[in-house]
Amino acid sequence: MTSTPFVLPDAALQRFRETLPPDAVHVDQADRDELRDPYWPAGDRTYDSSAVLYPSTVEQLQEVVRVADELGVPVWTSSQGRNNGYGGPSPRVAGSVLISLRRMNRILEINHELAYAVVEPGVRWMDLADALEAEGGDLLLSVPDVGWGSIVGNSMDNGVSYLPNGADFMAPTGMEVVLADGSLLRTGLGAIPGNKSWHLYKRGLGPSLDALFTQSNYGIVVRMGVWLMRKPEAMASLHLSVPRNDQLGQAVDIIRELRMSGAIRGVPGLFSFPILAWQFPELGEYMGGKGALPEEEIQRLADESGLGRWGVRLGVWGDAPVVEHHVNRIKERWAEIEDSAVTHDARFTREQWGPFTTFGDKINGAAPMLDMLDGLPPGIGHLAFSPVVPLVGEQVQRLEGLLSEYVREHLDGNLSAAITVVNDRSLIIVVELDLVMGDEAQVRAAYDSLRQMVEHFGKLGFAEYRAHLDIMDIASEQLSFNDHAYRRFVEKIKDAVDPRGILSPGRHGVWPAAYRGGKAPGGR
Amino acid sequence: MTSTPFVLPDAALQRFRETLPPDAVHVDQADRDELRDPYWPAGDRTYDSSAVLYPSTVEQLQEVVRVADELGVPVWTSSQGRNNGYGGPSPRVAGSVLISLRRMNRILEINHELAYAVVEPGVRWMDLADALEAEGGDLLLSVPDVGWGSIVGNSMDNGVSYLPNGADFMAPTGMEVVLADGSLLRTGLGAIPGNKSWHLYKRGLGPSLDALFTQSNYGIVVRMGVWLMRKPEAMASLHLSVPRNDQLGQAVDIIRELRMSGAIRGVPGLFSFPILAWQFPELGEYMGGKGALPEEEIQRLADESGLGRWGVRLGVWGDAPVVEHHVNRIKERWAEIEDSAVTHDARFTREQWGPFTTFGDKINGAAPMLDMLDGLPPGIGHLAFSPVVPLVGEQVQRLEGLLSEYVREHLDGNLSAAITVVNDRSLIIVVELDLVMGDEAQVRAAYDSLRQMVEHFGKLGFAEYRAHLDIMDIASEQLSFNDHAYRRFVEKIKDAVDPRGILSPGRHGVWPAAYRGGKAPGGR
């Protein structure tokens, strides 16, 4: 990871200054450090930007991109840049100009009849949820754990959220995109001026492009439709326990069958005990980051807490009798797990939607918040290793064993894992590796472990759904079928739509021609 | 539409003969005519192929594509090529070599635990449904009206099917694709050799490509995962009446709210009276194709039938008490429509799944069939004009009025329309234009009307979800935002991934460089 950074020419900086208002161009290191991966060692400049730009409008952004294209300046875009477990807003190529879209934060439309909103990339979960509440609270936004992130940004990384529209990336629909030459593209039926189905229909006429702009660098999404849920008659917010590690597989199989029967929609979360502590303040002292406890000790703490070795958060939304029936089915099936318990069962109605006091109720109630930031162990950062796994108990159980062993041996920790069941057939297991902030040797060792894990578990068939900045190349290297046919294909597209290779070079392993074969700073 | 056809060089034909078994290469006109649009005037060779090839394996297909790429021969691919309302298997460029994938008809996997199958493009709805039945009938395939089509082929055109997995194109997941150089690409996590989540997870690492291969010509999909539904505890198959035309909007609004509440999943169909006759044999003599009846007469026939001026087919699947509750909700809401009726309400259980006697029960029961072929008026073909419309009663009502008026004035007919509610926010209204087979003047007039309708209704903001072969260019011309930014973008991709422009040139308006500006036969 020692490569020469791109050096921003003075002439380019001058052009950016001419393009944007004075307060939208920052080059001081302190200012740049406000938008960098907070976990990466402070003295290490591998992923630093050379400048941070804050356009406020699509037109300003277009002009910035035109300048970058003209002068061959690599830019890296972040919306809010809040997902620090994957590298935050830092660019892949050192010296890139970071374009933060935080100031492009308008909610362009809220449509109550058809239950969708249209947002710019700077709009946070909290912003849209507040706006929906202000307009009567008839519509619910599917939300993730922490409310400060960008709705668009999360979608651009195939990120997860937990209400029914969060399953299978259903919410994002219809985009406006700034291309590498600064021009605008609209996807789907948005390509037809004035068409009313832009944000309503998942395809268009001809090839569909929405998913081409996620985890990629073919354009900058500046407007996106996001589907909302009509507030249902009733909601149940549940927490269920899985008392022991070796029951995880059984729980996964039960969840699959409950999903397939329609009892569970949404995106349930299964949290290993250390992660439960991030959500239940009363467990605060067991939240990890202090070296591995013996498994017996973790088990004892889990038993004492009554929350389980794993805790499961899920919501049920619908007509009142349907919620009642489905909750009963869920409880019946859950009772098959020996010694398991329903540790939380709160009911809400359309008329009495809240108040929400627990973390899980807030998630299921579509009330985004920052509570988890308080729940994180102080002085501890996290790196995420996040493979996709078939929704089959035996496979999840086996992987849990391998991961626990790996984390204990190589990282002196207990497995901190959050499983999200993204559809009826697969799940993502997000393994959080502790970073002891300020202890550079430990931090570097954790990054080394992350790299090793990607390769080690990759060989076992478990691939990342999303790669941390530092391991994008290693992760994408695994897409090797037919001599990397996938990479060659997406590179051809990259070269065709961004011939100078200025947009986020290296994002998720997609490098433009100018950077391939080590021909440019930081390239592959 | 008078352009010189591509002339297949003898040397190319010779190479195809060397590549495939003798019975897999057909050049006689009679053989070619077996795979052409059956509705296009017989003497008009605008959309004829020069040869038909029937590869049986991926390897044979790869070799055919390699030869075509080497020699610059345009090929047009069809799976079953059964959707005659959109041009059947005919190629856009006359003289193209037609590759029929009918012999690539293996079911590669049926996974009961995770409820999916993997199929080749020659597999028909009936084939997979039969195989599922033979393996115990625990899994249901979301099916369309006619069972003889290809599952893959339908997906490649963003076609619709009616069970819950039919909504929003949810079923297709994970593809293997033959590219223009004959090499193989796997999408999603399939790019990782041996990865078990290829057909389970909707995205991959990096840009997601599945939707890029639908309605396009970037590759030939030779393997696709298709999600199935676990057979539910109960199913209700309903038909509801909308007594009068002016109640259509009210019905649409009710369906939207029932969908948003979770009572309706699946893809309900609303059929105008002439189309009801295709499904209800007792209405056979009123099935259209005989010139317009006065509206009063149609209304009288609809009243007499008791089926409604519009008839609505929908299914409810789930646990028994949930189905009961949701059916009651549907009936309560439907009773708001004056004089409406529940004209059919059949219940089935997991243990008693059938026998299905009505068309609607077969659809809702996932039992694909060919009944509609018998129901079509004899000697009448159909062209489809199929705009996407927001799921808002007022908009649908207005469009219905405009369409009815247009069809009566220009085509001397009553509106034959099938509305499919593809998700919670939009629907597709498929308008079937009658073709009196053998009356070439009438047939040509109908095609002229189709072209006019695309432009006329396009200007009103109603865009095709899918374009008939003959109007692909007109329809795609409407994607004009920012000086056709969409077209310029997808053309760049086309030129990058198929530089010689051999794969299905012109499909859904995507032309390779060699054909643009009228530089090659049949080009734009």
Side-chain angles (χ1 to χ4, degrees), chain B residues 387-457:
Chain B
V388 179
V389 190
L391 195 54
V392 173
E394 178 275 333
Q395 295 186 45
V396 177
Q397 189 75 64
R398 178 171 150 261
L399 181 58
E400 184 277 332
L402 295 169
L403 287 168
S404 285
E405 193 184 317
Y406 189 96
V407 169
R408 181 176 295 275
E409 272 188 23
H410 294 80
L411 286 151
D412 185 31
N414 303 107
L415 180 65
S416 295
I419 291 175
T420 51
V421 182
V422 293
N423 62 29
D424 291 0
R425 292 166 184 81
S426 60
L427 57 79
I428 294 165
I429 176 162
V430 180
V431 179
E432 302 280 3
L433 310 186
D434 291 339
L435 297 169
V436 182
M437 300 315 300
D439 179 350
E440 186 165 331
Q442 192 278 342
V443 168
R444 290 197 179 273
Y447 277 94
D448 285 343
S449 289
L450 176 64
R451 294 180 200 120
Q452 288 162 14
M453 288 176 83
V454 173
E455 299 204 318
H456 178 72
F457 290 97

Side-chain angles (χ1 to χ4, degrees), chain A residues 114-115 158 184 191-192 200 203 206-207 215 228 230 233 257 319 325 329 423 425 461 463 480-482 486, chain B residues 114-115 158 184 191-192 195 200 203 206-207 215 228 230 233 257 319 325 329 423 425 463 480-482 486:
Chain A
L114 290 163
N158 295 341
L184 285 176
I192 300 176
L200 308 179
R203 298 279 166 97
Q215 293 201 357
L228 307 168
R230 181 97 64 233
E233 209 175 272
E257 293 310 311
D319 288 354
H325 170 82
R329 276 286 163 105
N423 62 28
R425 291 164 185 83
S480 65
F481 171 76
N482 188 22
Y486 173 81
Chain B
L114 289 164
N158 295 341
L184 285 176
I192 300 175
N195 189 283
L200 308 179
R203 299 278 166 99
Q215 292 200 357
L228 307 169
R230 181 96 66 233
E233 208 175 271
E257 293 309 310
D319 288 353
H325 170 82
R329 276 286 163 103
N423 62 29
R425 292 166 184 81
S480 65
F481 172 75
N482 189 22
Y486 173 81

Side-chain angles (χ1 to χ4, degrees), chain A residues 111-115 139 230, chain B residues 253 256-257 260 391-393 395:
Chain A
N111 187 308
H112 293 268
E113 187 170 39
L114 290 163
L139 297 173
R230 181 97 64 233
Chain B
D253 286 333
R256 182 189 65 243
E257 293 309 310
M260 290 217 177
L391 195 54
V392 173
Q395 295 186 45

Side-chain angles (χ1 to χ4, degrees), chain A residues 39 156 168:
Chain A
Y39 298 150
M156 293 303 106
D168 274 327

Side-chain angles (χ1 to χ4, degrees), chain A residues 451-468:
Chain A
R451 293 178 201 124
Q452 288 162 15
M453 288 177 84
V454 174
E455 300 203 316
H456 177 73
F457 290 97
K459 281 182 194 138
L460 300 176
F462 299 108
E464 293 254 270
Y465 96 96
R466 166 186 195 172
H468 184 287

Side-chain angles (χ1 to χ4, degrees), chain A residues 10-22 25 63-64 67:
Chain A
D10 289 343
L13 180 61
Q14 183 56 31
R15 290 283 300 280
F16 290 131
R17 286 196 196 280
E18 289 162 16
T19 301
L20 294 175
V25 181
E63 196 51 38
V64 163
V67 169

